[in-house]
Amino acid sequence: MTQDKQPATTIITIEDAGKHVGSTVTIRGWLYNQRESGKLLFPIFRDGTGVIQGVVSLKEHAEAFNALKGLPQESSVIVTGTIRAEARATGGFEMHVSNVEVVQRVSDSEPYPIQLKEHGVDFLLDRRHLWIRTPRQAAILRIRAEAELSARIYMDSQGYTLTDAPIFTPAACEGTSTLFEVNYIDDQKAYLTQSGQLYVEATAAALGKVYTFGPTFRAEKSKTRRHLTEFWMLEPEASFAHLEDMVQLGEGLVSAVVQSVVKNRTRELETIQRDISKLEKIVPPFPRVSYDDAIKVLQKAGNPAKWGDDFGGDEETILSKEFEKPVIIHRYPAAMKAFYMATDEQRPDLSLSFDMIAPEGYGEIIGGGERLANYDTLVKRLREHNLPEEAFQWYLDLRRYGSVPHAGFGLGLERTVAWICGTEHIREVIPFPRMLYRVYP
Ligand code: 4AD
Ligand code: MG
């Protein structure tokens, strides 16, 4: 390898091209596509921040022309040229190329496998490491990054401290049927975390208002467009907090994330052709419907749901169709919720729980509620749920030593980003999706 030649011109990113109209600058990236028209070439370059069309003339810049002519797609290049405003070009600018340095020429015998035509999704998922180079996929990943950043900024602005939860855990949190078992050191058994909740309950008793934000795992046998086996969750937990506090926090968090994406990732939303007007409406307050009333809404719509049933994708879609904003369904029957849920004093058959259902059929993006604070009730529940008491002794300590009312929730990052992006499946919003039959690449 030779040393990088330092071009004499300023190196810019394509997203900043508009700031350099009339100047000669350098872009470092890849050849995305190219059209030839006699003595002119129209290459399209991408650099991860956007795409820009170039114009190269044989007459004016023969060397650059010959370097680009026939150059295979995805060859890496460093190109220098003058930026001009061009209303007809994608992005509104083009580059009149005067110099081209090919960094790596893709072999003619082994062309880049992803063509610009439509490919089947399995073909693309097998090549996910390359698929992410396409402008649509890159835009989605930038939106995801903005969602993560704005979520953290919002949580911190509300006085919450990030406390990371472990990934190896000694027991289940969200039901034993979706646990991934791990062969831990010297034949000890461990499990991949399904939720950081139990640990943020501990850090909440130590720090007050906390959250964790990281990967969680579910051995989900469901092959739906809403399920991954590895997904990211943001989980706040607050001491001395109740159900309504968490509903408000969730509403504020989701609005803050959506509005940050609208403001800071406008270009990416345009790239993926998302209807921004739908996102602009996502401001508090969100509608609230009790589980009791939700059953009535479903029955009125002709759905066979009856009191005590859990909601699946169909029910969530019917309920969310009524509103343009996410809807909060609260106080589900205690029998269908996790062991740690507190119950309503007036109606012990109800849990102090809530789900937030996204609009446009994206389903549950948040699940949470108030936790059982009483030691004896919690022990009783662990037994009812057949959970190993030894593994929960540390958790029971939180009820032995200064137990307080506390509440929290989990926001599924991929479901939230899939809704914001309007993607058909949540597998597109995580760089390397892990699903029922997919752990490659
Ligand atoms: O409703 P869930 O199971 O709640 C919990 O895990 C609680 N312990 C959270 C808490 O209170 N701290 O999961 C929370 C959210 C869901 O609303 C959904 O958005 C997402 O996590 N989620 C999934 N996302 C993708 N694939 C899956 N298999 C998911 N399972 C849950
Ligand atoms: Mg849930």
Side-chain angles (χ1 to χ4, degrees):
M1 289 290 284
T2 53
Q3 218 162 7
D4 276 7
K5 269 181 246 147
Q6 284 300 316
T9 53
T10 311
I11 296 167
I12 66 156
T13 55
I14 292 173
E15 67 180 340
D16 283 343
K19 297 179 193 155
H20 299 274
V21 174
S23 311
T24 300
V25 293
T26 295
I27 287 169
R28 303 185 294 191
W30 295 263
L31 180 65
Y32 177 60
N33 194 12
Q34 181 152 250
R35 192 161 58 78
E36 297 191 24
S37 173
K39 293 178 177 167
L40 288 178
L41 292 178
F42 298 97
I44 296 176
F45 303 111
R46 60 165 199 89
D47 73 345
T49 73
V51 294
I52 191 166
Q53 179 177 289
V55 188
V56 199
S57 137
L58 173 63
K59 217 167 89 196
E60 287 167 47
H61 299 288
E63 222 176 295
F65 185 95
N66 291 325
L68 277 171
K69 191 171 158 61
L71 189 68
Q73 184 194 347
E74 286 302 311
S75 293
S76 39
V77 289
I78 298 175
V79 290
T80 299
T82 311
I83 304 293
R84 304 252 183 253
E86 171 52 68
R88 286 168 301 174
T90 335
F93 305 97
E94 63 181 19
M95 178 188 247
H96 289 246
V97 178
S98 49
N99 189 67
V100 175
E101 181 194 333
V102 177
V103 180
Q104 189 246 334
R105 184 189 175 96
V106 170
S107 157
D108 289 304
S109 63
E110 237 181 338
Y112 186 65
I114 301 179
Q115 317 295 282
L116 300 179
K117 60 168 194 187
E118 292 274 310
H119 286 287
V121 76
D122 279 320
F123 177 93
L124 292 169
L125 283 168
D126 283 341
R127 292 157 187 82
R128 181 62 176 168
H129 52 294
L130 303 175
W131 186 24
I132 50 180
R133 298 183 182 194
T134 60
R136 177 182 164 82
Q137 295 304 314
I140 291 172
L141 295 186
R142 282 174 182 276
I143 291 169
R144 176 190 171 101
E146 177 69 30
E148 292 191 49
L149 176 65
S150 57
R152 285 218 44 203
I153 290 174
Y154 181 79
M155 292 309 299
D156 284 61
S157 78
Q158 301 300 303
Y160 285 74
T161 302
L162 182 74
T163 57
D164 304 309
I167 285 172
F168 289 130
T169 58
C173 172
E174 293 299 319
T176 47
S177 64
T178 62
L179 261 188
F180 274 111
E181 193 178 307
V182 180
N183 194 357
Y184 203 63
I185 296 161
D186 288 344
D187 289 334
Q188 299 173 80
K189 251 191 220 162
Y191 306 92
L192 297 184
T193 187
Q194 296 171 306
S195 156
Q197 179 193 322
L198 308 186
Y199 295 93
V200 282
E201 287 186 56
T203 55
L207 288 89
K209 298 204 284 185
V210 298
Y211 65 107
T212 179
F213 194 5
T216 49
F217 305 85
R218 306 269 170 104
E220 293 274 8
K221 290 276 167 62
S222 28
K223 207 178 172 184
T224 78
R225 61 195 188 92
R226 296 169 182 175
H227 287 92
L228 296 170
T229 52
E230 177 176 338
F231 62 97
W232 280 58
M233 226 198 304
L234 189 159
E235 298 180 87
E237 193 71 31
S239 297
F240 299 101
H242 299 280
L243 175 60
E244 181 57 26
D245 300 311
M246 287 303 119
V247 169
Q248 282 176 27
L249 183 70
E251 200 171 60
L253 172 61
V254 168
S255 314
V257 167
V258 172
Q259 295 318 322
S260 296
V261 171
V262 167
K263 181 164 166 264
N264 302 323
R265 291 286 169 234
T266 323
R267 195 194 308 237
E268 284 77 7
L269 289 170
E270 282 164 5
T271 299
I272 65 174
Q273 298 179 312
R274 179 63 164 126
D275 181 352
I276 294 174
S277 68
K278 286 199 171 129
L279 299 177
E280 283 169 337
K281 292 183 185 138
I282 309 305
V283 288
F286 296 171
R288 291 151 165 73
V289 181
S290 69
Y291 174 89
D292 289 352
D293 287 343
I295 290 289
K296 289 179 201 149
V297 172
L298 288 170
Q299 290 174 346
K300 230 172 156 184
N303 183 283
K306 51 188 191 321
W307 203 94
D309 289 353
D310 203 352
F311 299 153
D314 290 346
E315 289 74 28
E316 288 172 356
T317 302
I318 295 172
L319 293 168
S320 67
K321 267 214 183 103
E322 311 254 309
F323 308 99
E324 290 183 319
K325 296 185 196 182
V327 54
I328 283 134
I329 315 285
H330 57 91
R331 294 181 170 77
Y332 286 80
M336 62 188 242
K337 286 286 176 189
F339 74 94
Y340 50 72
M341 286 284 187
T343 48
D344 192 322
E345 266 178 36
Q346 263 72 57
R347 288 263 311 268
D349 57 330
L350 297 183
S351 59
L352 294 175
S353 59
F354 80 104
D355 282 357
M356 187 187 288
I357 318 287
E360 302 176 61
Y362 282 89
E364 181 197 323
I365 52 172
I366 285 183
E370 194 166 329
R371 322 307 188 186
L372 266 179
N374 181 272
Y375 177 89
D376 294 323
T377 326
L378 189 55
V379 171
K380 206 172 122 231
R381 283 289 182 78
L382 284 172
R383 289 178 188 158
E384 283 166 10
H385 285 254
N386 281 320
L387 290 164
E389 264 171 75
E390 327 77 67
F392 286 93
Q393 284 310 313
W394 71 272
Y395 185 65
L396 288 166
D397 272 354
L398 307 177
R399 277 66 178 173
R400 287 187 185 104
Y401 305 116
S403 189
V404 296
H406 61 290
F409 64 76
L411 168 117
L413 178 67
E414 288 77 15
R415 294 216 190 147
T416 307
V417 176
W419 158 52
I420 293 175
C421 291
T423 62
E424 196 167 301
H425 196 297
I426 68 171
R427 64 189 165 211
E428 267 187 85
V429 308
I430 184 163
F432 295 97
R434 298 292 174 243
M435 295 179 288
L436 186 49
Y437 297 118
R438 179 169 295 280
V439 284
Y440 178 92

